[in-house]
Amino acid sequence: MAVARGTAVDPFVEGLVRICSPDRVVTHPHALRAYESDGLLQYRVVPRVVVLPDTAEEVRAVVRACHDAGVPWVARGSGTGLSGGALPVQDGVLIALTRLRRVLEVDLPNQRVTVEPGVTNRGVSAAVAPTHFFPPDPSSEIVCSVGGNVAENSGGAHCFKYGFTTNYVTGLEVVLPDGEVVTLGGPELDRPGYDLVGAFVGSEGTLGVATRITLRVVPVPETHRTLAAYFDHMAQAGEAVSGIVASGLVPGAIEMMDRITIRACEEATGAGFPLDVGAALIVELDGPAAECDAGFDRVVEICRAAGALGIRVARDEAERELIWKARKAAFAAMGRISRGYYVQDGVIPRTRLHEVLRRIDELAGEFGLTVANVFHAGDGNLHPLVCYDPSKPGDPERAEELARLILRVCVDTGGSITGEHGVGLDKKRSMPLMFGDADLDAFHRLRCAFDPAGLANPGKVMPTPRLCGEVPGPYRQHPLERAGVAERF
Ligand SMILES: Cc1cc2nc3c(=O)[nH]c(=O)nc-3n(C[C@H](O)[C@H](O)[C@H](O)COP(=O)(O)OP(=O)(O)OC[C@H]3O[C@@H](n4cnc5c(N)ncnc54)[C@H](O)[C@@H]3O)c2cc1C
């Protein structure tokens, strides 16, 4: 749908219509609302226009048009991001990449696949099946795009063993914010020179648009052995995780859910999880059958020693899928428990799990809010789900504040403000918890090298947006510092 009937003609939008054709330029106010937020529903901005390019060349032409007109833009994959990364900018263009979903080249002898950015994770694995697969597996893998994975450096349940998106991207074709097309990296695992692929992965759409992505894929393991162990307390499940890791086993996945999450997932999927337990641990071993069998017995022993009340072993692929269906439904299922919830994403040293959970419980009590917990336990990647009532005045703000304090707890224990969901809009205020002025300045310079005009996804990631070339002002003491209430470190 092109320019809405009855509205004034916008020459800039007319230019976009010439690039993408009228049916792929959205301007009608109702249709624009479909793009007003990503998975972080607490923030909404209606963009000036949405374009749906069909080819990399159309993406380039749109970005060039924005550059020439000084119009900001935001790239969007499937819009499942949970940190507001794909939140549009008002008066800006939203470049939706869902139509770029071609698999361009499958090279199994060299374990490579090249795809357009709109292909989903499942789509990549399907393209190289049945012999190979693409390991990063966000729980949104059915719909989320590889372009979004690259921009967020996404992870998932199997990243404990297999690593994150950054471990699989070898080459990128990128449209830079001035419309120039460059190739970063290539099909090889490691190219000489600066690691610009590494810089781009995780840059959250602030350095350009990835239009062609070359990925490493790996052979499908001979077998999987999966179990769910149930415990009275999260601390016991945490002890089992530490025991498994200390034993030298490297499971494909170790996931943990608390009582509230188990209930929500069970209601949503009917997977057969007991409702009277305090914690569930899902452990999956993969690899050669003999190795998995031996390791599996050891995992069972460790879970029993940690006090497991019961252990359910997946007897076949259907049961394995059911167990994963329940775990992967965790975020969506929370809607059964609470009308509103805020998905937090932080990292802690695995060994501090018990202490961090206790602190989260205390904070939840102080705020009078419920917090459910689900983790990629092997990586120490927590996803506290802060529940609130959207219709209760002040509740959403309190939930956001509680979620922010949880991040502070993560950083205080030696962890991080994000494990896999990115900084986006949501966590940019928390960046100073981890990075000093000099670090943030270095990030800013990198960004300016790619995007001197600051048009690519402005207002995201960096806590205090600055213009390229702008020098931070001289340090002035904050009144609280003068009063001795706060200090600079
Ligand atoms: C139910 C649920 C479960 C989830 N589970 C996980 C999980 O287990 N692990 C995990 O890591 N994440 C998870 N996520 C978060 C999300 O799915 C991932 O971050 C995913 O990679 C985002 O992909 P997307 O296509 O939806 O990207 P979007 O949300 O559309 O965009 C995300 C960011 O990428 C940028 N971007 C998108 N495409 C491009 C491109 N081609 N070039 C440059 N920048 C681009 C956008 O500007 C934005 O900053 C989950 C989300 C949901 C809703």
Side-chain angles (χ1 to χ4, degrees), residues 74-82 85-86 97 117 138-140 144-145 147-149 151-152 154-156 204-205 208-210 331 376 420-421 457:
V74 176
R76 175 179 162 119
S78 305
T80 65
L82 291 165
L97 296 154
S139 300
S140 51
C144 72
S145 75
N149 286 192
E152 300 287 7
S154 296
E204 303 192 26
V209 187
F331 294 172
H376 302 309
E420 53 182 15
H421 294 174
N457 212 0

Side-chain angles (χ1 to χ4, degrees), residues 13-93:
V13 172
E14 284 207 316
L16 298 180
V17 168
R18 278 194 295 277
I19 296 168
C20 285
S21 89
D23 57 325
R24 290 184 284 108
V25 177
V26 181
T27 55
H28 194 286
H30 292 169
L32 288 175
R33 295 285 304 269
Y35 298 91
E36 67 182 358
S37 62
D38 61 2
L40 182 71
L41 298 170
Q42 286 83 352
Y43 294 87
R44 287 157 203 260
V45 174
V46 176
R48 173 174 169 187
V49 54
V50 175
V51 292
L52 294 132
D54 238 350
T55 60
E57 173 50 29
E58 287 183 0
V59 175
R60 191 201 60 74
V62 168
V63 172
R64 171 60 67 86
C66 290
H67 174 262
D68 292 348
V71 173
W73 53 269
V74 176
R76 175 179 162 119
S78 305
T80 65
L82 291 165
S83 56
L87 187 79
V89 245
Q90 209 184 354
D91 298 330
V93 178

Side-chain angles (χ1 to χ4, degrees), residues 8 15 54 73 156 160 193 222 287 303-304 306 339-340 345 361 404 453 483:
D54 238 350
W73 53 269
F160 174 62
E222 182 185 322
C303 288
R304 291 225 168 94
R339 286 183 51 221
D345 165 45
D361 265 355
R404 210 172 62 80

Side-chain angles (χ1 to χ4, degrees), residues 71-385:
V71 173
W73 53 269
V74 176
R76 175 179 162 119
S78 305
T80 65
L82 291 165
S83 56
L87 187 79
V89 245
Q90 209 184 354
D91 298 330
V93 178
L94 189 78
I95 306 175
L97 296 154
T98 35
R99 296 177 69 93
L100 273 78
R101 47 169 185 251
R102 284 160 281 245
V103 174
L104 301 171
E105 192 185 347
V106 177
D107 177 9
L108 288 185
N110 289 304
Q111 302 193 333
R112 296 282 181 279
V113 58
T114 300
V115 296
E116 289 186 330
V119 176
T120 61
N121 288 59
R122 282 277 177 95
V124 177
S125 285
V128 297
T131 52
H132 290 70
F133 78 112
F134 175 54
D137 62 337
S139 300
S140 51
E141 65 188 334
I142 305 173
V143 288
C144 72
S145 75
V146 166
N149 286 192
V150 168
E152 300 287 7
N153 188 18
S154 296
H158 289 86
C159 290
F160 174 62
K161 176 170 180 178
Y162 289 98
F164 287 72
T165 303
T166 191
N167 303 110
Y168 293 89
V169 183
T170 64
L172 292 167
E173 177 187 87
V174 172
V175 177
L176 294 177
D178 64 358
E180 188 190 347
V181 178
V182 295
T183 301
L184 310 179
E188 313 90 344
L189 274 186
D190 187 20
R191 277 216 162 174
Y194 295 116
D195 180 11
L196 296 178
V197 172
F200 193 91
V201 176
S203 62
E204 303 192 26
T206 61
L207 304 185
V209 187
T211 46
R212 184 182 170 104
I213 302 169
T214 300
L215 300 164
R216 195 165 69 84
V217 290
V218 298
V220 170
E222 182 185 322
T223 192
H224 294 97
R225 297 293 312 271
T226 310
L227 64 75
Y230 310 116
F231 299 86
D232 268 331
H233 305 288
M234 293 291 276
Q236 294 168 308
E239 201 182 304
V241 173
S242 297
I244 293 166
V245 176
S247 75
L249 291 168
V250 185
I254 317 182
E255 298 283 301
M256 205 192 287
M257 303 191 284
D258 72 358
R259 184 189 302 276
I260 305 171
T261 312
I262 295 169
R263 198 184 104 211
C265 292
E266 185 54 26
E267 277 180 21
T269 62
F273 279 61
L275 297 179
D276 56 350
V277 298
L281 194 63
I282 299 172
V283 185
E284 180 161 287
L285 295 182
D286 61 9
E291 191 182 305
C292 280
D293 287 347
F296 205 68
D297 292 343
R298 184 83 189 99
V299 170
V300 170
E301 255 173 51
I302 293 170
C303 288
R304 291 225 168 94
L309 299 168
I311 293 178
R312 170 185 181 184
V313 175
R315 282 156 302 176
D316 50 29
E317 187 55 23
E319 192 167 5
R320 172 179 174 243
E321 273 177 20
L322 194 59
I323 290 173
W324 279 115
K325 186 176 169 192
R327 163 58 190 91
K328 296 214 166 193
F331 294 172
M334 207 47 60
R336 292 172 178 262
I337 302 278
S338 175
R339 286 183 51 221
Y341 60 95
Y342 196 97
V343 180
Q344 192 50 288
D345 165 45
V347 180
I348 56 163
R350 235 180 356 241
T351 47
R352 310 278 296 267
L353 181 64
H354 181 48
E355 169 192 345
V356 170
L357 288 181
R358 205 182 46 228
R359 186 66 195 124
I360 292 175
D361 265 355
E362 284 166 10
L363 284 169
E366 285 164 29
F367 277 72
L369 296 172
T370 299
V371 178
N373 285 293
V374 53
F375 321 117
H376 302 309
D379 302 318
N381 185 185
L382 310 184
H383 290 314
L385 302 160

